[in-house]
Amino acid sequence: MTRTKEVLLRSDRVLVGALAVILAAASFAVGAAAANHPRTDRSVAPPAVRAATAAKPLPQQIAAQAAAFAPAGRLQRASATDLALAQLLAEHRCLSEVMYYEARGEGREGEMAVAEVVFHRLRHGRYGHSICAVVYEGAGSPGCQFSFTCNGELAERKSAVAWRNAEILAARILSGETALRDVTGDATHFHAVSVDPDWADEMQRTVQIGNHIFYKRGHSRAL
């Protein structure tokens, strides 16, 4: 069991390291367009990279990611490239987290639908200018945008298989291997079928995917 865990840990590091290299290379290639917002009607890799590199650094997340990625003692002389890599790794983790906590029981389709909501919010610009900023908007307060950031779920032990699946899917979305196709109809909000939030009355319902109902800004919740 211990050996198996060690193998999985090494493979996870390889996955994240490979993602960092892919995204870093892409970020340099599109550096001139760093301020553009992502779209979800085509491969999202270049826009996602532009949004991540254009965003302000997230100090705690960058420090944690950089500490794991860089050799001991290197942080003091970390270059802009090191920080960019650490930030891209943080963006990958934030996307993995929102898909895992909000839709791990909804399968690949459900997780991709949640990812679409994140990128729609990022494109609209009013919810944050990085994946992590969108996901953790209002975290730790009653105004959190994604419930897992304020209801204590982050402190609970993850399902190893579901978490790894979310990490892999997030990597494929960010690298462009898996494209988001806007199946949610430009949705920026969603809720479980088991609840009926007040804000839904002010929005236009777009689609139901699994146990989640999706909405975009509008004047009616009716289809």
Side-chain angles (χ1 to χ4, degrees), residues 40-94:
T40 55
D41 57 354
R42 61 189 181 194
S43 173
V44 301
V49 171
R50 289 197 291 268
T53 54
K56 294 181 179 179
L58 305 173
Q60 292 181 342
Q61 293 179 357
I62 288 176
Q65 295 289 358
F69 188 81
R74 187 180 177 187
L75 287 179
Q76 293 181 352
R77 58 182 187 276
S79 67
T81 300
D82 295 321
L83 293 178
L85 287 171
Q87 189 170 348
L88 290 168
L89 287 169
E91 295 286 86
H92 170 255
R93 183 174 182 86
C94 289

Side-chain angles (χ1 to χ4, degrees), residues 64-212:
Q65 295 289 358
F69 188 81
R74 187 180 177 187
L75 287 179
Q76 293 181 352
R77 58 182 187 276
S79 67
T81 300
D82 295 321
L83 293 178
L85 287 171
Q87 189 170 348
L88 290 168
L89 287 169
E91 295 286 86
H92 170 255
R93 183 174 182 86
C94 289
L95 184 59
S96 301
E97 286 176 338
V98 72
M99 292 194 303
Y100 171 84
Y101 285 107
E102 296 291 342
R104 63 185 179 276
E106 296 295 304
R108 179 185 177 90
E109 182 182 17
E111 290 190 1
M112 289 181 66
V114 168
E116 281 190 16
V117 168
V118 171
F119 281 107
H120 289 154
R121 285 179 166 233
L122 191 56
R123 176 166 56 82
H124 282 287
R126 68 182 66 185
Y127 304 98
H129 298 287
S130 72
I131 294 172
C132 289
V134 168
V135 171
Y136 282 92
E137 181 185 3
S141 69
C144 62
Q145 297 298 302
F146 294 93
S147 59
F148 78 92
T149 67
C150 58
N151 65 7
E153 279 191 85
L154 282 168
E156 299 177 1
R157 185 174 182 177
K158 296 184 181 72
S159 164
V161 174
W163 171 242
R164 179 163 175 76
N165 288 341
E167 284 189 306
I168 292 172
L169 182 56
R172 288 174 173 168
I173 290 172
L174 289 173
S175 67
E177 181 180 342
T178 297
L180 301 178
R181 299 297 184 185
D182 194 19
V183 298
T184 60
D186 199 32
T188 56
H189 294 68
F190 67 91
H191 66 76
V193 295
S194 57
V195 299
D196 187 20
D198 293 339
W199 54 257
D201 291 328
E202 305 300 324
M203 306 197 73
Q204 181 179 345
R205 175 173 168 170
T206 60
V207 69
Q208 179 175 338
I209 299 175
N211 291 318
H212 287 131

